[in-house]
Amino acid sequence: MASNIAFIANANRQKFNMATYSTNQFKNGLKIILDGDPCSITENNVVKPGKGQAFNKIKAKNLRTGRVLERTFKSTESVEAADVDEMNVEYLYSDGEFWHFMEPTTFEQYAASEVAVGDAVKWIKGQEACVMTLWDGAPLSITPPNFVELAVAHTDPGLKGDTAQGATKPATLETGTEVKVPLFIEEGDILKIDTRTGDYVSRA
Amino acid sequence: MRSLQVQAMAASHWQTKAARETLLQRARMLKNIRAFFDERGVIEVETPLLSHFASTDPHLDSLQSCFREQHCYLNTSPEYAMKRLLADWQQSIYQICKAFRDDELGPYHNPEFSLLEWYRIGFDMPQLMDELEQLIKHLCQLSPHISIDDAGFERLSYQQAFETFAGINPHQANARQCYQLALEKGIEIPQGLGPDDDLGQWLDWLLMQLVLPGFAKERFTFMYDYPASQCALAKTAVNEQGITVAKRFELFFGEVELANGFHELTDADEQLSRFQQENRARQQAAKAQNPIDENFIAALKSGLPECSGVALGLDRLLMVFTRSRAIEQVLSFSWENS
């Protein structure tokens, strides 16, 4: 199986032949480069003093850091396009330094750094279907499935007779992540977790 | 389940987002405007929205269409056609119509919007400002939010406004000084605007960042005597300080521009040369050069009467009257669900 170590491509980002967008092409969801990072436009408004020069005021989310930026452009100014794609991938394994994912139809493999994997690492153990965002062909971020099923590796036994409504206790999952669970949960139970909130949903 | 959600979204999408009362107020506003001009003997006219020609203004982009494979343009304002009628009739006229502008979308912009435009034969700029003030006061009676007493009107020259709120004389400044001022005041500098850029662009930016925020919040402000470089279709004249200024004014409510008026240029040669200059500016900005309206130039050659004219944005005025924060709140259907 050919292993495509795509992070190397990041170091060799092709700087020539850059695509650009003019401000009149701005719309929500358009991916552009701001301060060297790929960003997605979330708001675009034209402001204009009466008859004169128009300016575009935009808000954009930095796809690497998640931070929201505000910027103003002189109208007709052009901005470098960010080559950002999304791809369905399956999580394979981690070698401690990189997390390896595979595109299930081409079997092409991608190695994502710890920064790119981010919080997804809390919820994936192998074989999960994730969404990988790529920038210039290299993994930028990983979104785990909304719901995952993980076993409880460790939790204290629930106290008998504690009937307090909604009482919880900590439990450590097989990925090492700690979540709050109801008192009746025991070690070895498989739990359904909402990865967007990190909340326990039910026993699987 | 999913299809139900889609249906629910479509169901809310077809309805107007404007309050019924707002749209009724629009109807009353139109009725009162017509009554105002009827009383003054100004005749209502209707001119084409679709034209073979387009504005050459480098800051305006026309929406384009096609009739039998012939290229045509939706008007950015009814100015050229109305001036042809003026030259023909020698009679004061007004029009309520739609105007269209490409790439203008935001809280105060919709690609299609309503204009009231009128021309008064024999009026100079201050006289037309007076009449606009009277019209607004007349229409303010409609709004529960604005009493006529509150509807105060300030008048500032462009120079006074810049000196008061930005601390710079716009007739003597250059782009580099504007850039320095922006740095000193710590205001944002837009991407693409540098110390070597056009002064006009800098003045527009300083106007938005420093001058307009200084205007009284709940009042109307007239700003007049624009730099000659922003004369558009206005006459120019030499002021008391010996500076050539454009006999052009704008009306603002707080920071929001509502109207733009001119003591109209009647010199056909001068107008043609301005259009050609604007087309060159379009070319420099990598925009298509637009066909100059030869019928309009011919009308000027035949003789436009001495007059002043103004265009008032009716959607924005209704926003003022109804305290709306976004233009879509005063439109039956905005671009989003048009």
Side-chain angles (χ1 to χ4, degrees):
Chain A
M1 196 185 294
S3 173
N4 177 2
I5 307 298
F7 64 90
I8 292 173
N10 196 25
N12 299 331
R13 273 191 66 207
Q14 297 184 342
K15 283 290 180 192
F16 53 89
N17 205 12
M18 284 184 308
T20 58
Y21 293 117
S22 169
T23 53
N24 61 17
Q25 292 173 289
F26 280 8
K27 61 180 179 190
N28 291 356
L30 192 76
K31 311 289 193 297
I32 56 171
I33 305 282
L34 294 176
D35 301 339
D37 275 344
C39 297
S40 176
I41 295 179
T42 57
E43 211 177 302
N44 170 40
N45 285 316
V46 167
V47 291
K48 211 176 163 174
K51 283 178 82 72
Q53 171 72 43
F55 298 91
N56 289 64
K57 268 186 185 299
I58 67 160
K59 284 186 186 169
K61 187 180 171 186
N62 183 321
L63 295 174
R64 208 172 52 76
T65 65
R67 240 178 249 141
V68 174
L69 310 168
E70 290 188 33
R71 274 304 142 79
T72 306
F73 295 86
K74 195 174 86 180
S75 170
T76 72
E77 185 68 9
S78 40
V79 186
E80 188 186 343
D83 177 13
V84 173
D85 278 320
E86 282 190 347
M87 187 187 275
N88 291 314
V89 290
E90 186 184 313
Y91 173 50
L92 298 177
Y93 66 96
S94 168
D95 61 18
E97 192 182 358
F98 289 99
W99 279 255
H100 297 269
F101 296 83
M102 181 180 74
E103 205 285 318
T105 55
T106 62
F107 306 115
E108 202 164 350
Q109 289 188 27
Y110 294 85
S113 68
E114 187 175 356
V115 176
V117 177
D119 275 355
V121 73
K122 290 160 72 175
W123 314 114
I124 54 178
K125 58 175 178 150
Q127 297 190 323
E128 287 87 356
C130 301
V131 175
M132 184 164 69
T133 305
L134 295 135
W135 176 33
D136 287 347
L140 181 69
S141 67
I142 302 291
T143 311
N146 289 346
F147 297 100
V148 289
E149 290 180 3
L150 293 167
V152 177
H154 173 78
T155 188
D156 291 331
L159 294 169
K160 285 236 160 65
D162 188 341
T163 55
Q165 283 292 319
T168 61
K169 61 177 183 176
T172 307
L173 302 172
E174 59 185 310
T175 53
T177 307
E178 195 171 278
V179 290
K180 286 203 162 78
V181 299
L183 301 179
F184 59 81
I185 296 295
E186 295 170 6
E187 283 182 11
D189 283 351
I190 310 282
L191 307 185
K192 187 177 178 186
I193 307 289
D194 187 333
T195 61
R196 294 161 296 186
T197 57
D199 289 343
Y200 161 90
V201 180
S202 65
R203 263 194 293 199
Chain B
M1 190 63 199
R2 189 187 164 85
S3 69
L4 280 178
Q5 280 174 351
V6 171
Q7 278 173 21
M9 274 174 62
S12 63
H13 208 61
W14 70 267
Q15 287 174 306
T16 179
K17 286 180 182 168
R20 191 185 175 87
E21 180 49 39
T22 302
L23 297 184
L24 292 175
Q25 199 152 327
R26 178 184 284 270
R28 287 195 293 272
M29 175 173 78
L30 295 177
K31 204 171 140 187
N32 286 18
I33 289 169
R34 292 194 161 98
F36 180 88
F37 287 112
D38 271 359
E39 217 170 80
R40 285 165 168 74
V42 182
I43 305 293
E44 181 167 10
V45 297
E46 222 177 59
T47 58
L49 299 181
L50 203 55
S51 171
H52 301 280
F53 306 105
S55 168
T56 49
D57 187 326
H59 300 307
L60 289 182
D61 290 303
S62 302
L63 286 171
Q64 301 179 37
S65 190
C66 206
F67 175 75
R68 290 183 177 164
E69 298 181 349
Q70 234 184 320
H71 207 79
C72 51
Y73 303 84
L74 287 164
N75 72 340
T76 54
S77 95
E79 180 152 8
Y80 304 158
M82 288 184 79
K83 283 181 176 170
R84 284 164 64 190
L85 279 180
L86 278 169
D88 206 354
W89 285 2
Q90 311 280 319
Q91 152 81 50
S92 294
I93 54 176
Y94 78 97
Q95 171 160 222
I96 295 166
C97 69
K98 288 290 180 82
F100 303 82
R101 292 177 189 180
D102 195 7
D103 197 31
E104 297 197 358
L105 187 62
Y108 292 99
H109 292 91
N110 194 62
E112 161 181 355
F113 60 100
S114 294
L115 273 183
L116 162 65
E117 184 151 328
W118 78 96
Y119 292 88
R120 289 297 241 142
I121 290 176
F123 276 33
D124 63 11
M125 190 177 74
Q127 283 175 299
L128 190 63
M129 283 157 70
D130 289 343
E131 189 167 66
L132 174 53
E133 187 173 324
Q134 286 156 16
L135 173 70
I136 301 263
K137 283 179 173 164
H138 175 73
L139 297 176
C140 277
Q141 296 166 9
L142 285 173
S143 173
H145 298 296
I146 297 177
S147 75
I148 300 168
D149 296 339
D150 295 342
F153 285 77
E154 308 237 17
R155 289 189 190 192
L156 288 169
S157 73
Y158 193 91
Q159 183 180 340
Q160 285 169 334
F162 269 74
E163 284 175 344
T164 308
F165 302 115
I168 195 167
N169 181 337
H171 301 303
Q172 284 165 1
N174 59 38
R176 194 158 286 275
Q177 288 165 332
C178 293
Y179 175 72
Q180 281 301 332
L181 181 72
L183 291 179
E184 279 164 32
K185 300 266 184 185
I187 59 172
E188 187 189 0
I189 296 174
Q191 207 154 317
L193 194 60
D196 299 323
D197 269 295
D198 177 53
L199 173 65
Q201 295 175 342
W202 269 106
L203 291 178
D204 284 340
W205 182 246
L206 296 180
L207 177 68
M208 284 196 294
Q209 293 295 301
L210 296 173
V211 179
L212 297 183
F215 283 8
K217 293 282 172 274
E218 295 290 306
R219 287 166 75 87
F220 294 92
T221 304
F222 279 106
M223 190 162 71
Y224 61 91
D225 282 359
Y226 274 62
S229 58
Q230 299 179 34
C231 57
L233 291 91
K235 273 187 199 301
T236 53
V238 177
N239 72 6
E240 320 81 65
Q241 292 146 299
I243 297 159
T244 303
V245 294
K247 299 314 278 179
R248 169 181 163 199
F249 67 91
E250 291 208 352
L251 176 67
F252 299 84
F253 184 79
E255 296 183 43
V256 180
E257 183 234 6
L258 296 175
N260 178 73
F262 304 134
H263 191 178
E264 302 294 346
L265 180 68
T266 51
D267 182 333
D269 295 334
E270 167 68 16
Q271 188 65 72
L272 181 60
S273 123
R274 285 187 195 177
F275 282 164
Q276 288 162 342
Q277 206 176 325
E278 285 184 338
N279 256 341
R280 281 194 291 275
R282 291 184 70 86
Q283 197 176 22
Q284 277 166 16
K287 289 183 174 185
Q289 299 198 37
N290 281 339
I292 291 171
D293 190 336
E294 57 206 39
N295 291 325
F296 170 53
I297 297 294
L300 290 183
K301 281 198 172 124
S302 129
L304 184 71
E306 285 295 317
C307 64
S308 289
V310 59
L312 171 65
L314 293 181
D315 306 311
R316 290 190 189 166
L317 186 62
L318 192 56
M319 285 175 74
V320 170
F321 288 161
T322 57
R323 284 286 189 272
S324 301
R325 282 154 186 261
I327 196 164
E328 67 205 32
Q329 292 176 276
V330 302
L331 301 173
S332 59
F333 304 106
S334 68
W335 169 243
E336 195 194 323
N337 64 346
S338 68

